[in-house]
Amino acid sequence: MNAASAPSKLYSDDVSLIVVLLDANPFFWASSAAAAGDSASSHHPTTTLPFSKLLNHVIPLLNSLLLLNQLNQVVLVATGVNSCGYIYDSGDGGGGSGCGSVPAICSEILRRLEEFVVKDRLQGKGPDKVVATGVSSLLSGSLSLALGFSDPELDIHSLGQILCLQGSPDGPEQYVAVMNAIFSAQRSMIPIDSCVMGVQHSAFLQQASYITGGVYLKPQQLDGLFQYLSAVFATDLQSRNFLQLPKPAGVDFRASCFCHKKTIDMGYVCSVCLSIFCKHHKKCSTCGSDFSQGPTDANASTDRKRKTSEVQP
Amino acid sequence: MSGSVEVQRRFDLAGMGEEATRRRRRGGEEDDEEEEDEDERGMEAWERAYADERSWEDLQEDESGLLRPIDTKTLVHAQYRRRLLQKSAASAASRIQKGLIRYLYLVVDLSRAASETDYRPSRMVAVAKCAEAFIREFFDQNPLSHIGLVTIKDGVAHRLTDIGGSPESQIKALMGKLECSGDASLQNALELIHGYLSQIPSYGHREVLILYSARNTCDPGDIMETIKNCKNAKIRCSVIGLSAEIFICKHLCEETGGSYTVALDESHFKELLLEHAPPPPAIAEYAAANLIKMGFPQRGAEGVIAICSCHKDVKIGGGYTCPRCKARVCELPAECRICGLTLVSSPHLARSYHHLFPVTPFNEVSSVVPFKLSQKLAQTCYGCQQSLLSHGSKPAPHVSCPKCNQRFCLDCDIYIHESLHNCPGCESHRSSTT
Ligand SMILES: [Zn+2]
Ligand SMILES: [Zn+2]
Ligand SMILES: [Zn+2]
Ligand SMILES: [Zn+2]
Ligand SMILES: [Zn+2]
């Protein structure tokens, strides 16, 4: 009963609608740029790269996706710290005069990204300031936007595909929202691919890719990022059946507790509503159930007895 | 106007397929039945073509009596909104109290009666097929629950599988054991299950679901005593009969708080069976709420070789690692063989969280908002970025989220509340996320 692998659709053609979620978290990219500066002197391969260099890899990817099939549609969504926003939609037509020239598209994307980052920062300085710990970006928001956009009911001719380019660490407070988005993608059979550029693996994206049947990749060397992106993520869903794509290197199934939004690998689960808590409470804060007895290990009383027979012949 | 409605109703009756007839039959309007069947048989081929297409249903009378095509989109949306508002009102009234951890024994009657062929190819095969669908659906809706299988034949009950959390092994065991003979004994089955279910933890809901083909029960002792025991042990017994209503089954279900239904045909049987998949409303005294200690193991990398603790065998790839003692298990949910910790897959729990934190219903934005005002607001749907202006500059009906004030089209409204369970507007603003 694992929650795994979405059933694969049969594809009549390989036209894709690809929504790329680009992490535009200035906190992460600033630290990344600083680290890149430090390691420039040493001879280690680069494991970090500044945002401007990242765009040098991402914009060619968008262009090559469009070149692969003239009917492909690419949408770029920026994931900020305080907000998320649409940056570019190749299906829009109006702005870039349909088959707009590559440099025009490129400068358009850069301009809108810049606007977005400025606006995102201004929102943080609004009435409720972002705490210094708010270094995670709003993955739940951009995933929800991307799914709303690729809702299969709206456009049955193209197949949705979501690619997350994520650097920032997970925000445990988004756990429920991210999981809701993942299950919705699974139901709509939209695979979520993820390319993680941060220091740690992302548990959210590992689960997202595992459950929706997408590819999860954490590149070893970021200076060759375009190679990874074009070789792994630019393939359409039909071609994937014939390719040897990277196998998941384990999936982190840790959950977030409802009480402190901490990521935990062991905890207490309310038997009525299944809320997760990191320590024993007297009362469930979600459903109000009263836990008068002490903590229990499920089945602790019976397990010794029923070890022996699995299935009787 | 009323004349045309009458005509439509009569056509409806004539065109009703098997399914609709059945539904009516269940509704209790049995006197209509014969007449309908006659109607259907008496239809000419050309009549049937019209009856099947039911093209008149796409038309609707407006205020002045003119026929117009039905605006299905608004209609569907209106229906959906009614459902949504009902649901949110219901959940506000009673906080989520559902018995989500169920321990259910599924009893399959494999007595002589199960070989009868009124179900195709035989009752036994039809029951097994539906049971398979039920087991899958059950685990989907009750992520932490357990099922065990018991068969009755030759007057004795036999436990086919241990109560457990894996649908695949249960289904395999059932499919491998499809032979029937002898009499059925309700009492033996209940006694056997009573013994097993009395061992389960107190927070679990004990249930028995009996798929009963026989019309009699051949018992060694007083079955009333057994029913009393089941009642005292808080075991909820339900029966789905395949032949006719039997007093003892009815008595059993009434005493123990279960439901008793009798199937008319195979599709009805499946319907009745699947009604048992969603968790029944928890009755406070039936199971004590509890906090259960659980582990959320990590899945191992593909291609890594490890020895699992459940089969004590070398396995390549997959597998899960117990967070407490680091032992390897093959499948989730399971119980760590070494330290006894309950191991579950956290996405399984997360699947039900949208019940706990539903998206607030959106407000309908009236289309008669002064034009100036509506122009100031966003004119595209925040979800799909489609324009909200239908023809010219008149805004199409749309909704707005009361929390983030973003506007959504009707399609996105349904998608957000029925599938996504997140408001894209609220999620993409830090201040409003919680
Ligand atoms: Zn906590
Ligand atoms: Zn609870
Ligand atoms: Zn263990
Ligand atoms: Zn929309
Ligand atoms: Zn909202």
Side-chain angles (χ1 to χ4, degrees), chain A residues 1 81-83 86 136 140 177 184 186-187 250-251 253 265 267 269 271-272 274 286 296 298-299 302-303, chain B residues 95 100 103 165 199 203 290 292-294 296 299 333 335 342 346 348 351 353 385 415 419 422 427-428 430:
Chain A
M1 68 180 281
V81 177
N82 302 300
S83 62
Y86 282 96
S136 64
S140 62
S184 180
Q186 185 193 20
R187 268 191 293 275
V251 184
F253 277 128
D265 60 3
V269 175
S271 69
V272 176
L274 306 185
T286 312
T296 352
N299 311 337
T302 54
D303 62 329
Chain B
R95 303 204 66 182
L100 288 168
Y103 288 78
Q199 297 169 2
Y203 54 79
N290 213 331
I292 311 155
K293 183 148 196 176
M294 286 186 184
F296 312 113
R299 191 179 159 80
E335 200 174 287
T342 304
S346 56
H348 244 106
R351 249 171 224 283
Y353 288 161
Q385 305 290 310
Y415 178 68
S419 174
N422 283 336
E427 285 309 321
S428 51
R430 168 79 56 180

Side-chain angles (χ1 to χ4, degrees), chain A residues 29-48:
Chain A
W29 291 111
S31 68
S32 175
D38 289 345
S39 66
S41 51
S42 65
H43 57 272
H44 288 299
T46 44
T47 50
T48 53

Side-chain angles (χ1 to χ4, degrees), chain B residues 80-89 361-362 413 417:
Chain B
Y80 142 80
R81 281 199 66 85
R82 215 173 308 127
R83 230 178 321 140
L84 178 73
L85 294 175
Q86 258 170 22
K87 212 165 66 181
S88 68
F362 291 169
D413 183 18
H417 285 95

Side-chain angles (χ1 to χ4, degrees), chain A residues 1-3 80-84 86 123 128 130 134-138 140-145 147-149 151-152 154 173-181 183-188 190 207 210-211 247-255 258 261 264-277 279-281 285-307 309-313, chain B residues 95-101 103 139-140 142-146 158-169 173 177 196 199-203 288-302 310 320 323-324 326 331-333 335-342 344-354 356-357 382-386 409 411-412 415 418-425 427-434:
Chain A
M1 68 180 281
N2 45 12
V81 177
N82 302 300
S83 62
C84 300
Y86 282 96
Q123 284 189 354
D128 23 26
V130 168
V135 283
S136 64
S137 51
L138 278 175
S140 62
S142 58
L143 270 178
S144 304
L145 275 181
L147 284 166
F149 198 87
D151 175 12
L154 295 170
E173 74 282 355
Q174 299 166 30
Y175 178 68
V176 172
V178 169
M179 294 313 281
N180 283 342
F183 297 132
S184 180
Q186 185 193 20
R187 268 191 293 275
S188 313
I190 297 172
Q207 297 185 52
Y210 178 72
I211 291 169
K247 293 254 167 58
V251 184
D252 189 343
F253 277 128
R254 281 180 304 172
F258 285 20
K261 313 288 177 199
I264 50 173
D265 60 3
M266 229 190 301
Y268 294 93
V269 175
C270 167
S271 69
V272 176
C273 67
L274 306 185
S275 300
I276 301 171
F277 303 102
K279 57 181 189 209
H280 194 268
H281 290 251
S285 58
T286 312
C287 70
S289 299
D290 190 23
F291 311 121
S292 38
Q293 297 148 10
T296 352
D297 279 38
N299 311 337
S301 54
T302 54
D303 62 329
R304 302 288 161 254
K305 286 174 209 159
R306 41 191 196 79
K307 244 181 208 174
S309 62
E310 213 50 271
V311 177
Q312 289 179 7
Chain B
R95 303 204 66 182
I96 326 95
Q97 283 276 355
K98 283 204 163 174
L100 288 168
I101 303 189
Y103 288 78
F139 281 114
D140 222 49
N142 309 276
L144 292 180
S145 300
H146 303 252
H158 173 76
R159 187 170 65 152
L160 203 58
T161 58
D162 207 347
I163 201 151
S166 145
E168 296 311 322
S169 60
K177 276 282 172 191
Y196 289 125
Q199 297 169 2
I200 66 149
S202 59
Y203 54 79
N290 213 331
L291 272 185
I292 311 155
K293 183 148 196 176
M294 286 186 184
F296 312 113
Q298 310 219 357
R299 191 179 159 80
E302 301 296 326
C310 33
Y320 300 85
R324 186 150 75 185
K326 310 289 176 225
E331 246 190 347
L332 290 183
E335 200 174 287
C336 179
R337 297 282 163 149
I338 312 297
C339 68
L341 185 66
T342 304
V344 293
S345 143
S346 56
H348 244 106
L349 302 185
R351 249 171 224 283
S352 63
Y353 288 161
H354 66 85
L356 305 182
F357 311 106
Y382 194 74
C384 59
Q385 305 290 310
Q386 307 278 327
C409 67
D411 283 334
C412 287
Y415 178 68
E418 309 241 295
S419 174
L420 184 58
H421 303 299
N422 283 336
C423 169
E427 285 309 321
S428 51
H429 286 281
R430 168 79 56 180
S431 49
S432 46
T433 49
T434 40

Side-chain angles (χ1 to χ4, degrees), chain A residues 34-111:
Chain A
D38 289 345
S39 66
S41 51
S42 65
H43 57 272
H44 288 299
T46 44
T47 50
T48 53
L49 96 166
F51 194 57
S52 55
K53 291 239 179 78
L54 173 80
L55 290 177
N56 290 343
H57 296 285
V58 173
I59 291 174
L61 172 75
L62 301 183
N63 284 324
S64 38
L65 287 172
L66 289 172
L67 283 171
L68 279 170
N69 188 326
Q70 62 166 350
L71 294 175
N72 276 359
Q73 188 185 351
V74 174
V75 178
L76 184 67
V77 176
T79 317
V81 177
N82 302 300
S83 62
C84 300
Y86 282 96
I87 300 299
Y88 171 71
D89 180 357
S90 73
D92 239 1
S97 71
C99 53
S101 64
V102 172
I105 293 176
C106 183
S107 60
E108 174 76 3
I109 292 177
L110 289 177
R111 189 179 60 79

